[in-house]
């Protein structure tokens, strides 16, 4: 037992250290700049970057709430035409990365896009002076495209809260004289607040981390600024300083999210698993409910999928060649290795937490922070220390063996895998931990009282019981790795392309049609974990 | 049923299914003004579903429900929404709103009346229930008993025509349960609110109710006062629900049924010659010496356990395949293997026809 405690302690410390490397290095670089542009940043661009970022976050949370809350309420409390379909289909937009939907809608909605061409032909307008049309490449445009793929976070959490957490409360409310509608404002909405705060925090983190959309729309956010200052101006310290500002945002969001999660403990979990009696809507009311649910699905999933599918068919002969195979092999093998490493690390953390509880919690907390860090910040925090280590290794091999090892860590997929591990370990942990909660703790006691050690217990009892959770964790990490853009873009080895980087490069060059097969592949693969997610919701568990 | 006053609640032949599983089959019952009625039955017998149907939280599938002689629920469209029924409901898990303090929880149902009256109603209610000091506290800061009182106050605040209580005391520990139960019933009685209470605890049912309705196997088995049901159970199930029982086979012989421990007088005809005699464990009597009038069957003590004022005894009698159990209030000086004489109290003896398998 002592031996295994030590082993887990060491593993915990190692993982915690690994995961803290990027944060520590960013803080060090930012505070010890060799070329200080801090003052310059503050007096010139930083206010713009920050206000753009804030505007984008604000716009996104308003829009995701306007989409997510009513749809969640409708499918939870009413029966109408298509309700069963929408109840799971409304999460489909999660499969579409924000940068892909941005490419698609820019293609349709910009001046030369199909939509404006149709308008011009319809109304005989000749040029842009004849009419007004909002510019898609703007903050408003970014809010539009991002909120239609991010709203499922709010939808899922609110739906879960409406349906399960407070089903009993609706009943009390109704016996006390409130109908469904007044119960919504008086009771359901306030009760959903913690879920809403979590949903909005996740949306804001995603917004903060987004690179593809803002880059494509040329909106100077903090994340884009890291790219510009670091890769454009070659100033790593400046980029680290901007990253510090982002980290302040991140920790504020994490604080809100965490306190919202804590508050959920006050909620009485419904033991009898009572579901709300749904009110039946008929006629025009059913039609309105249908429309409210259909629009987000149409904009966030159906239209982008149809367009990508159509373009894929058009360009299939050109796109489907040996280079596409290469992209598939790169993406799949990278995602596979990343999910393997990440899930193993997640199992270590989850089982350490299970076996040692409070003694382990500090390792768990720190290890899980990574999900909140934007890929660009991570990349910066990883590449600088790795390059430093590379230099030492290189010097060592040159002086003793006269061989140059080059950038053996920072220039290889090692750096990428490192970034994925940090970014996605929390997701893997979440899935495995939720599996752990369904294993009675007395089972551990039974195993140990029968003379089995802790490692033996994990091997013989936990892992077999966690099989499906491990599978789910692997799939979710696999898909998220495949979709990840900013860190991949920065950290990938020279001439190493994945589906995501391929889509980004072609679309940035206005070659959406050629990129559509890769984009469609990402979307299709992205649907797989949603199936598990749907199952998880129907099993009456929180999405977290 | 012949009653002078009109029932507040009348349930007329309701049936209910969950998917293919029938939960309730043709059940009828009435609740009179000021009456406290207990629905008593084993877990899973559909008691809670009956309450949920009455409150309108479950849609009625078959039958009719009347409140004050007005139909509130049928399987047709004239279905009154739960919020318009004026029926109070206290749930087993209480379901206090976690984000509202005690005052707001209690005032929740008082939204339709003006502020002044609302304040009066609130004050008189919290004073009556003794929770005036809890107003600003949140549910998670309250003890189990306090939560219970708040849930009661919240349900009473809108002055419901009928109160439904679904196993409301089952989460409290034994001592507290007795106290809160007494308080609750006296408040409801003083309020003149008719009550339909669901429980699976026969003692609770006997302690609080004016009338008990036994539910088992989707149906009403028996209805009556606690005395009636305890001393005149309709069948073996009802008898066994209130205490442990011994079962003997008996032979009908004109106006008597003879069995192992003696004879029981009967005043009705049985279709079979062979019947079952059921004796409550508290009806079995034993003595150290023989007494022809009562104690005339010899037995041997197989085990003795003293619990408080009770003595639980198992007795072996030659020729009888099972041990006979007795729950004695007058302790005897006996040990294992003591020879004793066994008799019974005819008030605790019941004759049933043998159930067909």
């Amino acid at each position: 037992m002592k031996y295994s405690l030590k082993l887990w302690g060491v593993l915990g410390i190692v993982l915690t250290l690994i995961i803290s490397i990027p944060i520590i290095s960013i803080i060090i670089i930012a505070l010890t700049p060799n070329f200080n542009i801090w003052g310059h940043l503050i007096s010139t661009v930083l206010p713009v970057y920050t206000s753009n970022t804030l505007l984008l976050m604000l716009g996104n949370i308003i829009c995701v709430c306007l989409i997510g809350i009513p749809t969640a309420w409708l499918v939870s409390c009413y029966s109408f035409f298509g309700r069963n379909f929408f109840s799971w289909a409304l999460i489909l937009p999660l499969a579409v990365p924000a940068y892909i939907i941005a490419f698609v809608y820019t293609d349709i909605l910009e001046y030369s896009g199909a939509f404006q061409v149709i308008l011009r032909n319809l109304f005989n307008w000749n040029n842009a002076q004849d009419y007004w049309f909002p510019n898609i490449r703007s903050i408003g445009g970014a809010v539009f495209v991002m909120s239609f793929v991010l709203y499922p976070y709010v939808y899922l959490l609110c739906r879960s809260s409406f349906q399960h957490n407070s089903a009993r409360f609706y009943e009390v409310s109704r016996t006390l004289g409130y109908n469904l509608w007044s119960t919504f404002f008086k009771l359901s909405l306030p009760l959903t607040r913690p879920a809403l705060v979590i949903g909005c925090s996740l949306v804001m983190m995603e917004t903060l981390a987004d690179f593809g959309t803002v880059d494509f729309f040329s909106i100077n956010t903090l994340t884009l600024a890291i790219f510009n200052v670091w890769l454009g101006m070659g100033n790593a310290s400046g980029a680290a300083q901007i990253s510090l500002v982002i980290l302040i945002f991140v920790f504020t969001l994490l604080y809100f999210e965490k306190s919202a999660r804590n508050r959920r403990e006050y909620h009485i979990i419904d033991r009898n698993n009572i579901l709300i009696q749904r009110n039946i809507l008929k006629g025009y009311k059913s039609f309105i409910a249908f429309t409210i649910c259909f629009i987000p699905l149409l904009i966030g999933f159906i239209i982008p999928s149809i367009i990508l599918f159509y373009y894929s068919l058009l360009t299939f002969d050109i796109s489907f060649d040996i280079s596409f195979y290469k992209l598939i092999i790169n993406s799949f093998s990278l995602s596979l290795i990343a999910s393997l490493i990440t899930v193993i690390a997640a199992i270590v953390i989850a089982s350490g937490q299970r076996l040692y509880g409070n003694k382990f919690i500090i390792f768990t907390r720190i290890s899980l922070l990574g999900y909140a860090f934007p890929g660009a910040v991570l990349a910066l925090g990883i590449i600088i220390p790795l390059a430093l280590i590379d230099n030492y290794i290189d010097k060592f091999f040159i002086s003793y063996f006269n061989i140059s090892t080059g950038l053996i860590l920072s220039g290889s997929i090692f750096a990428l895998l490192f970034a994925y591990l940090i970014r996605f370990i929390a997701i893997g942990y979440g899935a495995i931990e939720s599996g752990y909660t369904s294993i009675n703790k007395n089972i551990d006691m039974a195993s140990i009282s029968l003379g089995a050690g802790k490692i033996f217990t994990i091997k013989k009892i936990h892992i077999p019981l966690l099989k499906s959770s491990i599978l789910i964790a692997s799939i979710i990490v696999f898909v998220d790795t495949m979709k990840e853009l900013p860190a991949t873009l920065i950290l990938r080895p020279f001439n190493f392309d994945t589906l995501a980087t391929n889509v980004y490069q072609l679309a940035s060059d206005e070659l959406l049609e050629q990129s559509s097969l890769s984009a469609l592949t990402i979307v299709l693969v992205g649907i797989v974990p949603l199936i598990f997610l749907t199952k998880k919701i129907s099993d009456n568990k929180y999405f977290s | 049923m012949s009653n002078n006053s009109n029932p507040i609640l009348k349930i007329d032949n309701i049936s209910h299914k969950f998917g293919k599983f029938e939960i309730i089959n043709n059940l009828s019952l009435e609740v009179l003004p000021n009456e406290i009625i207990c629905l008593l039955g084993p877990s899973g017998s559909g008691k809670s579903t009956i309450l949920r149907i009455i409150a309108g939280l479950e849609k009625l599938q078959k039958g009719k429900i009347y409140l004050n002689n007005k139909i509130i629920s049928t399987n047709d469209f004239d279905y009154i929404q739960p919020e318009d029924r004026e029926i109070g409901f206290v749930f087993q898990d209480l379901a206090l709103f976690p984000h509202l303090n005690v005052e707001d929880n209690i005032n929740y149902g008082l939204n339709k009346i003006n502020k002044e009256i609302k304040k009066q109603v609130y004050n008189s209610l919290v004073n009556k229930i003794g929770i005036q000091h809890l107003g600003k506290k949140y549910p998670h800061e309250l003890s189990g008993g306090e939560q219970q009182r708040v849930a009661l106050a919240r349900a009473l605040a809108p002055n419901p025509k009928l109160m439904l209580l679904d196993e409301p005391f089952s989460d409290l520990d034994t001592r507290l349960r007795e106290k809160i139960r007494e308080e609750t019933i006296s408040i409801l009685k003083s309020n003149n609110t008719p009550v339909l209470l669901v429980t699976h605890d026969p003692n609770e049912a006997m302690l609080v109710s004016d009338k008990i309705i036994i539910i088992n196997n989707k149906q009403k088995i028996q209805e009556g006062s606690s005395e009636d049901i305890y001393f005149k159970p309709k069948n073996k199930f009802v008898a066994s629900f209130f205490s442990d029982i011994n079962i003997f086979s008996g032979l009908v012989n004109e106006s008597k049924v003879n069995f192992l421990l003696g004879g029981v007088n009967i005043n009705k005809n049985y279709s079979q010659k062979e019947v079952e005699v059921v004796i409550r464990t508290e009806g079995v009597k034993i003595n150290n010496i023989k007494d022809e009038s009562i104690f005339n069957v010899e037995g041997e003590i197989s085990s003795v356990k003293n619990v408080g004022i009770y003595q639980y005894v198992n007795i072996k009698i030659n020729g009888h395949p099972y041990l006979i159990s007795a729950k004695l209030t007058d302790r005897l000086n006996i040990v294992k293997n003591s020879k004793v004489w066994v008799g019974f109290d005819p008030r605790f003896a019941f004759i049933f026809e043998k159930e067909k398998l």
Side-chain angles (χ1 to χ4, degrees):
Chain A
M1 239 168 95
K2 281 264 176 250
Y3 162 74
S4 66
L5 177 60
K6 262 187 204 154
L7 176 71
W8 247 259
V10 170
L11 286 173
I13 292 169
V14 170
L15 271 173
T16 312
L17 279 179
I18 288 179
I19 284 156
S20 335
I21 287 176
I23 310 175
I24 296 168
S25 53
I26 280 176
I27 295 173
I28 293 173
I29 304 160
L31 298 180
T32 55
N34 27 16
F35 175 48
N36 195 355
I37 62 162
W38 200 230
H40 174 70
L41 279 177
I42 292 175
S43 66
T44 55
V45 285
L46 201 59
V48 180
Y49 293 159
T50 311
S51 63
N52 279 345
T53 307
L54 282 173
L55 264 178
L56 196 59
M57 292 206 290
L58 186 71
N60 276 351
I61 58 167
I62 291 172
C63 288
V64 293
C65 287
L66 286 177
I67 304 168
I69 298 172
T71 46
W73 173 252
L74 283 172
V75 299
S76 300
C77 300
Y78 297 93
S79 283
F80 53 92
F81 178 71
R83 186 251 157 217
N84 290 344
F85 165 73
F86 286 125
S87 134
W88 63 267
L90 274 166
I91 64 171
L92 283 174
L94 267 188
V96 188
Y99 56 86
I100 290 184
I101 194 175
F103 301 152
V104 170
Y105 278 102
T106 310
D107 187 69
I108 314 171
L109 296 177
E110 67 183 354
Y111 182 74
S112 56
F115 192 71
Q116 291 199 48
V117 170
I118 292 172
L119 283 184
R120 284 197 293 272
N121 287 339
L122 214 59
F123 297 102
N124 279 332
W125 295 323
N126 292 319
N127 51 43
Q129 274 79 49
D130 291 347
Y131 63 102
W132 177 85
F133 196 83
N135 180 13
I136 179 83
R137 291 180 191 247
S138 61
I139 290 187
V143 168
F144 170 76
V145 293
M146 288 174 98
S147 50
F148 275 101
V149 290
L150 293 177
Y151 80 83
Y153 286 110
V154 168
Y155 165 76
L156 277 172
L157 286 155
C158 288
R159 202 188 95 138
S160 174
S161 168
F162 288 148
Q163 283 193 336
H164 300 294
N165 198 31
S166 48
R168 177 73 92 202
F169 300 130
Y170 292 110
E171 297 192 337
V172 182
S173 177
R174 299 197 72 187
T175 62
L176 291 171
Y178 290 83
N179 62 23
L180 266 175
W181 188 241
S182 51
T183 299
F184 173 71
F185 288 104
K186 181 97 182 177
L187 194 65
S188 315
L189 213 49
L191 269 173
T192 313
R193 203 163 45 203
L196 209 53
V197 172
I198 296 168
C200 288
S201 310
L202 291 173
V203 168
M204 287 195 274
M205 285 177 202
E206 290 283 334
T207 310
L208 200 55
D210 174 80
F211 163 72
T213 316
V214 292
D215 176 60
F216 194 59
F217 286 2
S218 305
I219 298 163
N220 283 315
T221 62
L222 291 164
T223 300
L224 189 58
I226 295 178
F227 274 78
N228 293 343
V229 173
W230 182 22
L231 303 176
M233 291 153 53
N235 185 342
S237 328
Q241 286 164 343
I242 297 169
S243 298
L244 257 192
V245 179
I246 294 184
L247 287 182
I248 293 167
F249 273 95
V250 165
F251 281 110
T252 317
L253 290 176
L254 281 175
Y255 170 77
F256 283 124
E257 194 211 1
K258 180 90 193 89
S259 52
R261 279 188 199 273
N262 286 347
R263 251 178 291 150
R264 288 202 315 201
E265 284 160 17
Y266 297 140
H267 287 218
I268 299 159
I269 301 298
D270 201 341
R271 291 171 307 183
N272 299 328
N273 199 9
I274 285 173
L275 291 176
I276 297 170
Q277 284 274 306
R278 283 195 291 271
N279 265 17
I280 298 166
L281 298 180
K282 291 205 167 114
Y284 78 97
K285 284 183 179 169
S286 172
F287 178 74
I288 291 172
F290 176 88
T291 312
I292 291 173
C293 292
F294 185 62
I295 289 173
L297 184 64
L298 182 75
I299 297 177
F301 186 76
I302 298 174
I303 292 178
S305 303
I306 289 176
I307 287 175
L308 289 177
F309 185 70
Y310 172 67
Y311 283 162
S312 301
L313 282 184
L314 282 186
T315 58
F316 192 76
D317 292 339
I318 319 163
S319 307
F320 195 74
D321 60 359
I322 189 82
S323 62
F324 182 71
Y325 278 123
K326 244 178 118 181
L327 289 176
I328 291 272
I329 289 167
N330 283 352
S331 269
F332 275 69
S333 52
L334 192 63
S335 305
L336 200 66
I337 302 168
S339 79
L340 201 70
I341 295 171
T342 309
V343 169
I344 289 172
I347 293 173
V348 169
I349 300 277
S351 48
Q353 181 64 48
R354 166 81 167 199
L355 294 174
Y356 303 106
N358 279 340
K359 282 185 206 151
F360 206 78
I361 197 147
I362 181 77
F363 300 138
T364 311
R365 290 233 169 107
I366 296 177
S367 311
L368 302 186
L369 284 178
Y371 79 96
F373 299 143
V377 177
L378 266 187
L380 180 67
I382 284 172
I383 207 159
I384 290 169
L386 284 191
L388 213 64
I389 299 170
D390 277 342
N391 279 340
Y392 282 113
I393 297 175
D394 195 42
K395 270 185 199 155
F396 176 85
F397 273 84
I398 287 176
S399 57
Y400 287 92
F401 307 102
N402 206 15
I403 308 165
S404 168
T405 51
L407 301 173
I408 192 166
L409 299 177
S410 60
S412 67
I413 65 164
F414 177 87
L416 263 183
L417 293 173
F418 190 17
Y420 295 146
L421 169 71
I422 297 173
R423 182 106 163 91
F424 300 131
I425 189 172
I427 297 171
Y429 174 85
I432 289 166
E433 203 263 344
S434 87
Y436 256 132
T437 51
S438 62
I439 305 175
N440 188 334
K441 276 215 163 173
N442 289 338
I443 286 181
D444 300 13
M445 290 296 124
S447 167
I448 287 161
S449 70
L450 289 168
K454 294 200 169 176
I455 294 174
F456 189 81
T457 304
I458 291 173
K459 220 166 77 183
K460 290 282 175 187
I461 309 281
H462 291 173
I463 291 186
L465 286 172
L466 290 172
K467 233 184 248 164
S468 65
S469 303
I470 292 173
L471 181 73
I472 294 171
S474 315
I475 291 172
I476 298 177
V477 174
F478 181 92
V479 173
D480 273 355
T481 309
M482 191 174 278
K483 283 153 70 173
E484 209 287 336
L485 182 62
T488 316
L489 214 48
I490 301 173
L491 295 174
R492 72 199 156 123
F494 188 65
N495 263 344
F496 181 91
D497 267 308
T498 67
L499 290 169
T501 60
N502 178 255
V503 173
Y504 167 77
Q505 275 165 341
L506 290 173
S508 305
D509 295 340
E510 310 273 326
L511 296 169
L512 180 69
E513 292 176 17
Q514 280 83 332
S515 77
S516 54
L517 189 61
S518 298
L520 190 66
T521 313
I522 294 176
V523 172
L524 289 178
V525 175
I527 293 173
V528 177
L530 298 184
I531 297 165
F532 290 98
L533 204 57
T534 324
K535 177 148 184 350
K536 203 174 162 191
I537 304 160
S538 58
D539 287 349
N540 189 13
K541 279 188 185 149
Y542 271 111
F543 162 67
S544 55
Chain B
M1 214 187 281
S2 63
N3 273 302
N4 296 332
S5 44
N6 284 325
I8 297 285
L9 175 80
K10 186 177 167 200
I11 293 181
D12 194 8
N13 274 319
I14 63 167
S15 298
H16 200 79
K17 280 180 185 171
F18 283 139
K20 282 182 183 167
F21 295 102
E22 193 168 47
I23 304 289
I24 303 160
N25 181 13
N26 270 334
L27 183 117
S28 300
L29 63 87
E30 286 183 356
V31 181
L32 299 177
N34 309 337
E35 199 175 34
I36 296 184
I37 293 190
C38 267
L39 289 180
L40 177 66
S43 302
S45 55
K47 306 173 304 264
S48 297
T49 309
I50 299 171
L51 292 199
R52 293 172 55 77
I53 292 173
I54 296 169
L57 301 173
E58 203 78 56
K59 195 169 177 355
L60 182 64
Q61 295 169 350
K62 210 179 143 209
K64 284 192 179 79
I65 297 176
Y66 303 82
L67 192 68
N68 284 336
N69 287 328
K70 265 192 283 184
I71 291 187
I72 56 167
S73 204
T74 70
N75 46 345
D76 303 329
F77 284 108
D78 51 345
Y79 172 76
I80 294 180
Q81 293 295 319
E83 57 268 25
D84 300 324
R85 292 193 179 190
E86 296 179 68
I87 293 177
F89 203 135
V90 177
F91 294 87
Q92 185 176 1
D93 55 10
L94 308 179
L96 295 175
F97 304 134
H99 64 304
L100 300 181
N101 64 24
V102 167
E103 187 175 344
D104 292 339
N105 259 288
I106 295 172
N107 281 334
Y108 188 88
L110 297 174
N111 61 321
K112 284 171 193 154
I113 58 178
N114 85 38
K115 257 189 177 170
E116 283 301 306
I117 303 175
K118 190 171 172 171
K119 215 171 175 183
Q120 279 172 20
V121 173
Y122 172 79
N123 284 332
S124 80
L125 202 56
V126 292
N127 283 325
K128 194 173 189 177
I129 298 181
I131 49 171
Q132 55 276 52
H133 56 295
L134 299 177
K136 297 294 170 211
K137 287 199 166 178
Y138 281 84
H140 67 271
E141 298 170 316
L142 304 178
S143 69
E146 288 168 339
Q147 289 186 1
Q148 189 75 45
R149 293 184 183 103
V150 174
L152 180 69
R154 183 179 67 181
L156 278 176
N159 201 15
K161 288 180 185 143
L162 170 73
M163 190 71 145
L164 306 174
L165 309 179
D166 187 4
E167 308 240 7
F169 313 111
S170 61
D171 281 358
L172 300 171
D173 55 60
T174 322
R175 293 296 299 279
L176 186 64
R177 181 158 60 215
E178 285 166 16
K179 184 166 176 267
I180 298 282
R181 186 163 59 204
E182 238 168 71
E183 271 178 28
T184 306
I185 295 304
S186 85
I187 289 162
L188 289 168
K189 275 273 178 204
S190 71
N191 233 37
N192 293 331
T193 315
V195 177
L196 193 57
L197 183 147
V198 154
T199 180
H200 63 269
D201 176 356
N203 283 326
E204 182 163 290
M206 291 199 281
L207 278 166
V208 304
S209 60
D210 301 319
K211 193 161 80 187
I212 296 175
I213 295 173
I214 308 266
I215 309 272
N216 192 35
N217 263 339
K218 310 161 210 165
Q219 281 172 327
K220 180 162 82 180
I221 306 293
Q222 191 173 357
E223 178 175 348
S225 70
S226 56
E227 285 275 302
D228 274 352
I229 290 186
Y230 188 79
F231 288 105
K232 290 174 201 158
K234 199 175 163 187
N235 60 23
K236 219 158 58 180
F237 167 79
V238 177
S240 69
F241 206 73
F242 287 87
S243 68
D244 289 332
I245 55 171
N246 296 288
I247 303 170
F248 304 89
S249 59
L251 276 178
V252 180
N253 187 0
E254 290 171 7
S255 63
K256 234 177 180 183
V257 171
N258 292 317
F259 73 109
L260 185 69
L261 301 181
V264 184
N265 293 325
I266 50 172
N267 49 13
K268 77 174 215 188
N269 291 324
Y270 289 91
S271 61
Q272 297 156 316
K273 191 101 178 101
E274 271 187 46
V275 290
E276 279 184 320
V277 181
V278 167
I279 309 224
R280 296 198 183 282
T281 51
E282 51 268 47
V284 174
K285 303 290 172 197
I286 58 176
N287 203 2
N288 291 325
I289 44 171
K290 187 173 180 180
D291 173 350
E292 289 288 340
S293 62
I294 307 172
F295 306 103
N296 46 19
V297 179
E298 194 179 9
E300 186 185 310
I301 299 296
S302 156
S303 66
V304 186
K305 205 173 256 174
N306 295 322
V307 179
I309 63 154
Y310 296 111
Q311 193 168 38
Y312 291 87
V313 183
N314 282 321
I315 311 143
K316 202 159 67 189
I317 293 179
N318 271 344
H320 188 62
Y322 309 109
L323 292 176
I324 293 170
S325 303
K327 181 183 176 186
L328 308 174
T329 41
D330 298 321
R331 279 204 198 180
L332 284 177
N333 189 15
I334 44 173
V335 290
K336 195 177 173 186
N337 298 332
S338 298
K339 291 271 179 259
V340 289
W341 294 88
V342 187
F344 70 97
D345 181 342
R347 289 179 304 151
F348 298 98
F350 318 111
I351 318 284
F352 302 117
E353 297 206 358
K354 280 199 169 165
E355 281 165 19
K356 289 176 190 108
L357 293 173

